[in-house]
Amino acid sequence: MSNHEELRNIINPDGTLQNGYIMGDKNEYSELAKQFLDFGILQSNFALIGDISRFCPQYLITYLNDIIPFLIAHITHPSTPVSNNASWAIGEISIHINSEYMEIYVDEITKQLIYICQNSKYHGCLLQNICITFGRLTSTYPKKLIFYFPQFLKTWLKIMAHGTQENEKINSLKAVLETLYINLDLAAEHLKDIVYIILKYKYVSQNVNIFFHQFLATMKEKYPNHWKEIYSQTGDSLSSPIPNDMLSDLATRFNL
């Protein structure tokens, strides 16, 4: 069996996939499709789609118009692993496959991601992975995603500041900061949170650290009044104060 045939059997065992759902004969789900919709099988299949995107994307392209709507339909799935893997697969597709295939779906995907992150019922680990996907989309479609920054940047920064430091989180932060160059006024509104997350991400490559320094230096020069507020030790309704031991890194790490 060829790779194309294997992929067809995994994604579409009966040869018909309509509106993101696998359909059997007489418009009824086949037995295999019913199994596919099982939480565990969905989780594994979405992980497989993400891996195919990374390592052999050429076998996925033919099916993307069916796969992407199916993934979108499961971003808000009640099972955390299913939701997590659906969003992860979308992120993998966005950075490994020609951007034109995903572009028409970006707005719909982004609205789903924002919905999850603004809903407190979801697990913290899922929220961070959703934010990583948002960052990946931002790296590929910055002019589309910047439209959503005013309603989502604050939440995104708060979520991404929690948990352990990982390369995927660092790359997502870098993508978001690069996109903010389109609208530095927006960055100024959230400068304290941006500085906090940069200071928290200590273990980065030299190139990333240089990028962080350039971004911070730009903000300090262009928005001196906002920069002074970073050192305020009184919290407000929007941001908590940055601890002094972290603020000292602005001098020792960035010479600012």
Side-chain angles (χ1 to χ4, degrees):
M1 181 180 292
S2 69
N3 288 327
H4 274 87
E5 289 171 334
E6 289 180 1
L7 183 60
R8 185 183 300 114
N9 289 336
I10 290 168
I11 296 171
N12 187 0
D14 290 333
T16 305
L17 186 56
Q18 299 176 1
N19 299 323
Y21 292 94
I22 300 174
M23 307 299 293
D25 294 334
K26 300 179 181 179
N27 292 325
E28 295 180 356
Y29 292 122
S30 67
E31 287 303 313
L32 186 56
K34 289 178 181 177
Q35 294 175 21
F36 183 85
L37 293 175
D38 176 78
F39 290 5
I41 297 176
L42 276 173
Q43 175 189 352
S44 298
N45 276 276
F46 292 162
L48 176 60
I49 289 170
D51 284 339
I52 294 172
S53 302
R54 296 174 66 188
F55 300 111
C56 47
Q58 66 273 22
Y59 297 120
L60 209 58
I61 290 174
T62 304
Y63 307 98
L64 285 178
N65 287 335
D66 292 323
I67 290 172
I68 295 174
F70 192 64
L71 292 171
I72 294 172
H74 290 82
I75 293 175
T76 55
H77 195 280
S79 167
T80 295
V82 171
S83 174
N84 184 72
N85 284 7
S87 65
W88 177 77
I90 286 171
E92 291 293 333
I93 291 171
S94 72
I95 61 175
H96 292 297
I97 296 180
N98 192 308
S99 61
E100 67 184 31
Y101 294 104
M102 179 78 79
E103 188 166 7
I104 62 172
Y105 302 104
V106 168
D107 289 321
E108 184 179 358
I109 293 168
T110 303
K111 290 173 184 177
Q112 295 270 31
L113 299 179
I114 291 175
Y115 169 79
I116 289 179
C117 289
Q118 293 180 338
N119 193 319
S120 60
K121 74 177 184 179
Y122 290 98
H123 191 275
C125 182
L126 172 62
L127 298 181
Q128 291 192 31
N129 287 327
I130 289 289
C131 285
I132 289 171
T133 298
F134 183 90
R136 288 179 159 188
L137 290 171
T138 299
S139 70
T140 307
Y141 311 97
K143 292 182 179 179
K144 275 185 170 287
L145 271 292
I146 190 69
F147 174 79
Y148 297 95
F149 277 30
Q151 62 176 296
F152 187 52
L153 182 59
K154 181 75 175 180
T155 301
W156 190 90
L157 291 167
K158 289 291 187 183
I159 292 172
M160 291 291 277
H162 290 289
T164 58
Q165 178 181 318
E166 303 166 6
N167 285 336
E168 289 184 345
K169 292 173 72 174
I170 294 168
N171 292 337
S172 291
L173 174 60
K174 185 173 182 289
V176 166
L177 296 181
E178 287 173 337
T179 302
L180 279 169
Y181 275 107
I182 298 174
N183 184 356
L184 285 176
D185 287 348
L186 182 58
E189 293 176 19
H190 301 280
L191 186 55
K192 183 177 286 189
D193 290 316
I194 291 172
V195 170
Y196 177 79
I197 193 171
I198 288 176
L199 292 176
K200 188 164 185 181
Y201 286 15
K202 293 183 177 181
Y203 308 107
V204 300
S205 69
Q206 182 178 2
N207 287 339
V208 171
N209 209 55
I210 290 172
F211 170 80
F212 284 167
H213 174 266
Q214 291 172 338
F215 185 89
L216 293 174
T218 297
M219 296 305 297
K220 181 179 181 180
E221 178 183 355
K222 289 183 175 292
Y223 301 92
N225 291 332
H226 290 81
W227 188 262
K228 291 177 183 177
E229 293 176 5
I230 292 171
Y231 294 90
S232 172
Q233 289 304 302
T234 57
D236 54 40
S237 60
L238 297 177
S239 299
S240 300
I242 300 176
N244 284 326
D245 60 333
M246 293 182 70
L247 286 173
S248 64
D249 283 348
L250 285 174
T252 57
R253 179 179 167 190
F254 296 113
N255 195 29
L256 293 172

